[in-house]
Amino acid sequence: MPVVAVRPAKPIARRPVVRPVAADEKPDGPPCPACGTPNLPGRRFCRRCAAPLHTREQPAPLPWWRTVWPLRRRVRSGSGRALRRTLLVLAVVGLLFAGFLFLPAGRYLFEDVRDKLGGTTEISPAEVTASAQAPGHPAAAAVDGLTNKYWGAPTLGSSLTCVFDKPFRLVGVVVHTGVSKEPQEFRQGARPTRADLIVTTADGEVREKAVTLTDKPGPQTVRTGISDVVSVQLVLRAASGQGEGRPIAVGEVEFFRRT
């Protein structure tokens, strides 16, 4: 049988399948805040009006003190938190600083730092007396600014008292021992090696400090750091080179206050 051309068939569209209408769902769940339609748990939008089912909670109103500048700024979530933390830290630091100043130990450390960072200047006493003195070596020779003149103490236990006209912060005391700062002449007289420094303040408080002096010429610094000083007494406790006719020599005593 011969093969002949065949005309293409026409496509036939598929007939639609009619599905049964589902019954309207009536879920038992939370109602929509907009229309009241119940929705299944877990839905984000209402099945009827498409309104959001989970609305964001409104932030609580600010307290009155947060409405005052600069605390009233609240542009975004967390805004103002850094400022509140900064103010809290400053308040804690302020309380610690106040306690630091009012406590005796804190006050002492604060004044000691000021002594180290500030400048000093020499202050001269208004009056100088001695409990005893060798002939030709009066108490005034210990504060005359010269080291070739000295106060001669006849015995141990003798004291030199310096009184000042107004209270001041005594930062330190410089003591020159011996009859001279020249090494050869230094050994020709007796020299104190130990003494007590008795400091009296304006409120009547007395502070005593034991001082050890090296047996060599030159200045020797004694740090004190005492406020409201009105008088300083130097009591000799030990000496070297003592002998007949050789008084214990204190060449110079200098006092320094904080500027």
Side-chain angles (χ1 to χ4, degrees):
M1 186 175 186
V3 179
V4 296
V6 180
R7 305 179 77 181
K10 294 182 179 180
I12 301 175
R14 298 183 59 182
R15 299 181 65 183
V17 178
V18 180
R19 296 179 181 179
V21 179
D24 188 17
E25 60 174 339
K26 294 182 180 180
D28 185 14
C32 173
C35 66
T37 303
N39 292 268
L40 289 173
R43 291 184 63 98
R44 299 180 60 186
F45 300 94
C46 177
R47 64 188 179 89
R48 181 177 180 182
C49 66
L53 297 178
H54 302 285
T55 58
R56 298 180 61 181
E57 295 182 358
Q58 296 295 327
L62 297 177
W64 67 267
W65 55 270
R66 286 291 309 280
T67 62
V68 180
W69 188 91
L71 301 177
R72 65 185 178 187
R73 294 183 66 253
R74 189 170 183 175
V75 179
R76 55 180 64 91
S77 177
S79 176
R81 186 176 304 172
L83 180 59
R84 292 195 299 271
R85 290 179 180 176
T86 302
L87 293 178
L88 179 61
V89 170
L90 290 177
V92 173
V93 171
L95 292 176
L96 292 177
F97 185 72
F100 183 80
L101 291 181
F102 286 107
L103 291 176
R107 183 68 181 179
Y108 173 80
L109 291 176
F110 178 74
E111 294 294 344
D112 185 63
V113 171
R114 292 187 61 191
D115 290 343
K116 294 177 180 178
L117 297 180
T120 59
T121 185
E122 186 177 356
I123 181 172
S124 299
E127 181 183 355
V128 182
T129 58
S131 61
Q133 58 188 27
H137 303 286
V143 293
D144 60 358
L146 303 174
T147 56
N148 58 355
K149 295 182 180 180
Y150 60 90
W151 164 56
T155 59
L156 293 176
S158 301
S159 61
L160 180 75
T161 303
C162 300
V163 180
F164 301 86
D165 55 359
K166 60 181 180 180
F168 68 100
R169 171 77 178 179
L170 180 63
V171 177
V173 179
V174 176
V175 181
H176 298 256
T177 62
V179 299
S180 174
K181 64 180 181 180
E182 300 297 331
Q184 295 180 353
E185 299 180 8
F186 179 79
R187 299 289 178 180
Q188 296 178 5
R191 296 86 56 190
T193 56
R194 186 166 55 85
D196 288 336
L197 199 64
I198 302 175
V199 181
T200 304
T201 60
D203 57 2
E205 182 182 0
V206 178
R207 300 189 186 183
E208 186 171 344
K209 182 180 179 67
V211 179
T212 299
L213 302 169
T214 57
D215 191 19
K216 63 180 183 179
Q220 302 184 49
T221 302
V222 180
R223 291 198 59 194
T224 52
I226 303 176
S227 299
D228 299 327
V229 174
V230 293
S231 70
V232 180
Q233 186 179 47
L234 183 69
V235 184
L236 306 183
R237 298 302 185 189
S240 62
Q242 290 181 276
E244 185 67 26
R246 302 179 71 180
I248 306 171
V250 177
E252 191 71 18
V253 181
E254 301 170 314
F255 305 94
F256 291 87
R257 65 177 180 88
R258 186 175 64 197
T259 57

